[in-house]
Structure formats: C-alpha cells, structure tokens
Amino acid sequence: MKQLKPITNKLLWIFALGQFGWSLLSGVVSNWMVYYYTGTPSEQNPNTGIFAAGITQNPIFFKLTLFGLVLAVGRIFDAVTDPLIAGWSDRSNYKGGRRIPFMRVMAIPFALCTIGLFTIPQTSNQGLNDTALFILLMVFYLFMTMFCTPYNALIAELGDTQRHRINVSTYISLTFIVGQSISFLLPNLAGALTGSFGQAGGIRMAVAIMATIACLAMLFPAFYINERDYIDSKPSDTKPFKSLVKTFSNGQFRRFVASDVIYFFALTLFQTGLAFYETQLMEIEDTYTFLLTATMTFISVCLYPVVNILAKKIGKKQLIIIGFFAYSVVFLITTMCGVGLHWGFIVAVTAAIPMAILGILPQACVADVAELTRLETGEDRSGMFFAARTFAFKMGQAIAMVVFTSVTVSGTKQSYRTTALIAFITCFIGACIFFTFNEKKILSTIRELKGSDEI
C-alpha cells in the first residue's frame, strides 16, 4: 500500500487559492450582472444599467422579467448539474485522482465564459442578445459546477481530521471573501480604464483582467497538488441519482440543508441588492462599494482566528446560530437605513461577524456528515454530499433571483427595502431551523467509530 504524504497547513493554504479564483469569477457575475444589465443610470452612477438596452427589460408576465428568469433558470440548471458532476467525480478513477483532473481542465473555459457574459450579448438584435445571454449563463454555471464540485469534495478529503476540517474551512473562507471583495473593485478598475477603452470597454477590460487573475489562482493548486500523494481514494459504485437519494436520506444532513437553503435565499437577496442598497437607498457612489466591502472583509478576517478557536472549543452549531441571528440584524438595518456613507459602514461592520462565522463553519459541518457516512458505510461520497448541499442552496438562490428582479421591477426605493425585509424574515426562520441539527451526536459517533479522540 502506498504511503500517503501528511496533509499540512501549507498544502491547505495552496488548495485555498482555488477558492479565491472561482469566488472572484462568481463575484463578478453575481455582484455586477444585475447592476449592469438592469436599472437606470444617474449622474452619480452613470454605469448603472449600461448594458440594459441590449436585452429585453419589460416584464414578460406579472412582474417577472426575462433577465430575472434567465438568472433563475441558470441557477436551477446549475443545481441540477451538481449531482451529475458529483457522481461523475465520485465514480472517476483518473490517473491524476478523482477531483484534480476536473479542476485542471475547467479553469480556463470558466474564466473565458465570465468575460463572454459581459461582451457577447451586445449586438443590435435584442432577441439574439437574449438568446446569447441565456446560453452563456448556462455554460458559465456548467463550467463553474465542473470546477467547484470536485474542488469542494476535496474539503472533506484533505480535511482528514476535525482540526484539518476546521482549518481548511477557515482558509477557503478567507480566500473566498477576498475574491468576493476584489470583485467589488470592478467599477474602480473600469473607471481607470475608461479613458482608454470607453465606458463599456472599460468594464469589459476590467472583467477580463479579473478573470485572468482568477484563472491563474485556480490553475496553481490544480497543478501543484498531486491528489494521489495525499488521498487514498476509491471510486464509488453508486450511480448519481441513487447517491443523491442516499445523501438526502441522512436525517442530520436534511436538517442542515433546510436551514442552509433559507439562509442562501436571504443572503442572495441581500448580495444581489447590495449595490442598489448602497447607490439607491444610501445614495453612495458605486465606486465606494469596494471601500465598504474591504472594511467588512478586514474586520471579518480579524475575527477568523476567534471563530476557528471557538469552533474547536464549543462546537460549530452555537456559532452558526449566532451567525444566522447576526445576519438577520444586518438585513433589518438595511431595511431601515437612511442616506449617507455612514449607513454603508454600519452595515459593513455589523455584517463582518456573521460573515466570518457562516463563511467558515457550514462547510465543516458537511465534511463532518460526509466523514461519518464514510465510516459507517465504507463508501466515500464526499463529492455528492457537497453537491447535494449546493443543489439545495442554489435552488434557494434561483428563487431569490426571481424574487429580487420581480420585487424591484419598479426600481423604487421601497422595492429595494422590501427585498431586505424579506431577507430578514427568512434568515430568522433559518436560524430557528438550525437548532434541530445535532452536531454532538455526529462528532461522538465519529469518535466511537474511529476509536480515537482525534476526529
């Protein structure tokens, strides 16, 4: 039997670079597509809705817009492909491992598709633009799934102990929010490039620069880490649909997912609306979004060591519940905010606490459940557990996209406040549901099956 190399914190940090890359691409699309493809420009924020004329804006029926439906269908498509890609990854037996080969192949197409979303749907034919946007978004989500699903499975496999699971969750959470934060620099970078490329060209060039950086970040761990050196992985025999059913048959996992879906619904409403909350409700220039996000990120990162230590001492469940309620407070503040940059800083500072907690610990909870299942059944289906989680929360994100674009179709300040209020109510419900998750039982059973205190 081949002697495996020990998993070190250095290796986990290198692995976390991949999270920075895909989160930067995801942030560019999730934070700025709605902003640039909908809305009305103003003297203060002239780039709002700069690409809106190219696609259909009027509601198709009721208050549902084509753009909102495209985003929602994209998320649903993304959710449906998650289990299929997870099953493919779990059952694969490539020379380079079950996960890394996917990452190596998909990084470049993933980055190129991100650039295409802000470039290609801009012909003189609106119907052609609508079709191109729809196809590109489906391909974007497919490529993201084919990179992220195998990547996420490595969280459980590199997290061979409870300490490593919490550490790797901490590291990837840090690189995730750094990637998301840098994505908020898009208007600033685009502004610097406007003189050379024009308004629209500056935005596209800024997207291209960020996509290139993200691509390199995804490729580095994919080629640095030799999966077979660290993981003795054996292909799963279970077919994707059956594996998905078996995954959701786990009672503890269902409880976790129920709260997770609601949380991501609320968070997606908030994240989609963040640029609008700042520019429309607080009347802040969009170039300040990076400053506010950087403030939130800095404070959140400062709290990471505290969350890491507390999670190992008191467990993850209590902290996650605190995170849920803290985000509820953030959404409530946003609902009632007034005009001025100080409101942006109030939201940023308040959001830093739940951002640190919920950015780190949920992945570790999924890894715990996946590890317990592996010990109980002898079958490693880590990919499917993370895919099942993303399948569920992406359905929540899809609904959030429809709700946001439908509620805000009028573009009034009250419509944006309404989305924040909905986020507050649903996040509070998610916190209540998470009380039913039994972390102590999961960890004690892992300890018993391993016959060791090291879990």
Side-chain angles (χ1 to χ4, degrees):
M1 182 177 176
K2 179 181 177 180
Q3 182 66 38
L4 297 177
K5 293 182 180 180
I7 293 171
T8 63
N9 283 333
K10 176 186 175 182
L11 181 76
L12 298 181
W13 273 115
I14 291 171
F15 170 70
L17 284 175
Q19 184 95 346
F20 165 79
W22 79 255
S23 73
L24 177 54
L25 295 181
S26 173
V28 167
V29 172
S30 62
N31 295 329
W32 296 109
M33 266 197 73
V34 175
Y35 185 76
Y36 288 131
Y37 275 99
T38 65
T40 304
S42 63
E43 185 178 343
Q44 190 175 34
N45 295 292
N47 287 334
T48 306
I50 191 171
F51 300 139
I55 64 170
T56 302
Q57 296 291 333
N58 295 328
I60 300 173
F61 53 91
F62 297 110
K63 289 189 176 182
L64 297 178
T65 64
L66 175 68
F67 188 73
L69 288 173
V70 167
L71 290 175
V73 172
R75 272 303 181 185
I76 293 171
F77 174 76
D78 186 23
V80 171
T81 54
D82 270 327
L84 298 176
I85 302 302
W88 181 4
S89 178
D90 280 343
R91 290 183 292 119
S92 67
N93 194 26
Y94 299 119
K95 182 179 178 180
R98 295 195 297 171
R99 321 299 184 186
I100 292 292
F102 288 87
M103 295 164 56
R104 290 176 178 174
V105 171
M106 295 315 305
I108 293 175
F110 183 14
L112 289 175
C113 194
T114 304
I115 299 170
L117 279 169
F118 292 85
T119 306
I120 295 175
Q122 289 298 309
T123 70
S124 58
N125 188 319
Q126 198 171 70
L128 183 61
N129 292 339
D130 293 340
T131 304
L133 184 66
F134 175 79
I135 293 173
L136 277 170
L137 201 60
M138 298 307 109
V139 175
F140 169 85
Y141 282 126
L142 176 62
F143 289 168
M144 184 167 73
T145 297
M146 293 186 72
F147 181 91
C148 294
T149 298
Y151 179 89
N152 287 336
L154 285 173
I155 297 172
E157 294 171 352
L158 293 176
D160 56 336
T161 66
Q162 175 73 346
R163 180 171 63 86
H164 280 155
R165 285 194 290 275
I166 292 178
N167 282 350
V168 71
S169 296
T170 302
Y171 303 160
I172 65 173
S173 177
L174 173 61
T175 53
F176 176 83
I177 64 171
V178 171
Q180 287 279 309
S181 299
I182 290 178
S183 74
F184 278 102
L185 262 176
L186 187 63
N188 306 70
L189 181 57
L193 297 169
T194 296
S196 301
F197 300 96
Q199 278 183 276
I203 292 169
R204 291 171 183 144
M205 186 57 64
V207 171
I209 291 171
M210 289 189 173
T212 301
I213 294 170
C215 185
L216 293 173
M218 291 187 291
L219 287 172
F220 186 74
F223 282 93
Y224 180 90
I225 298 173
N226 187 338
E227 186 179 333
R228 297 295 188 190
D229 287 347
Y230 301 95
I231 302 166
D232 182 23
S233 58
K234 297 177 178 61
S236 170
D237 295 326
T238 308
K239 293 183 178 180
F241 180 74
K242 185 177 180 181
S243 180
L244 182 65
V245 171
K246 288 171 69 174
T247 300
F248 277 112
S249 68
N250 185 304
Q252 293 298 333
F253 184 72
R254 287 200 307 273
R255 294 183 183 94
F256 170 85
V257 165
S259 63
D260 209 39
V261 169
I262 294 174
Y263 159 66
F264 272 98
F265 170 82
L267 187 62
T268 302
L269 273 182
F270 181 75
Q271 288 180 331
T272 305
L274 189 57
F276 293 101
Y277 302 147
E278 292 171 350
T279 60
Q280 303 298 319
L281 301 184
M282 303 170 194
E283 298 183 12
I284 302 168
E285 292 182 17
D286 59 14
T287 51
Y288 279 105
T289 55
F290 175 72
L291 174 63
L292 296 172
T293 305
T295 301
M296 179 171 59
T297 301
F298 175 76
I299 297 172
S300 182
V301 168
C302 290
L303 294 173
Y304 270 40
V306 178
V307 174
N308 187 292
I309 293 169
L310 286 177
K312 294 171 183 174
K313 288 189 174 183
I314 68 174
K316 300 180 286 294
K317 178 180 177 178
Q318 294 181 55
L319 289 174
I320 289 175
I321 291 173
I322 291 171
F324 269 113
F325 283 126
Y327 253 139
S328 298
V329 172
V330 173
F331 302 151
L332 186 60
I333 291 173
T334 305
T335 304
M336 302 183 297
C337 74
V339 175
L341 185 60
H342 63 283
W343 280 103
F345 280 108
I346 290 172
V347 169
V349 172
T350 310
I353 298 171
M355 187 178 182
I357 295 171
L358 296 174
I360 297 173
L361 301 181
Q363 297 99 315
C365 289
V366 178
D368 287 341
V369 177
E371 173 69 359
L372 176 57
T373 301
R374 183 187 68 81
L375 292 170
E376 289 178 331
T377 66
E379 184 181 30
D380 187 352
R381 295 185 292 109
S382 302
M384 188 57 73
F385 271 98
F386 280 93
R389 183 211 177 190
T390 54
F391 169 81
F393 79 60
K394 285 173 183 175
M395 296 301 288
Q397 289 178 322
I399 297 170
M401 291 290 190
V402 173
V403 170
F404 184 88
T405 53
S406 300
V407 171
T408 61
V409 68
S410 64
T412 63
K413 289 188 176 184
Q414 187 56 46
S415 67
Y416 294 119
R417 292 190 193 279
T418 300
T419 61
L421 179 61
I422 295 171
F424 160 70
I425 295 170
T426 51
C427 191
F428 188 88
I429 294 171
C432 296
I433 292 174
F434 198 75
F435 276 102
T436 63
F437 182 73
N438 195 338
E439 182 192 16
K440 288 184 178 179
K441 181 179 178 181
I442 293 170
L443 296 184
S444 64
T445 306
I446 292 175
R447 191 178 291 111
E448 290 172 8
L449 292 173
K450 279 192 169 183
S452 168
D453 288 336
E454 177 59 272
I455 57 174

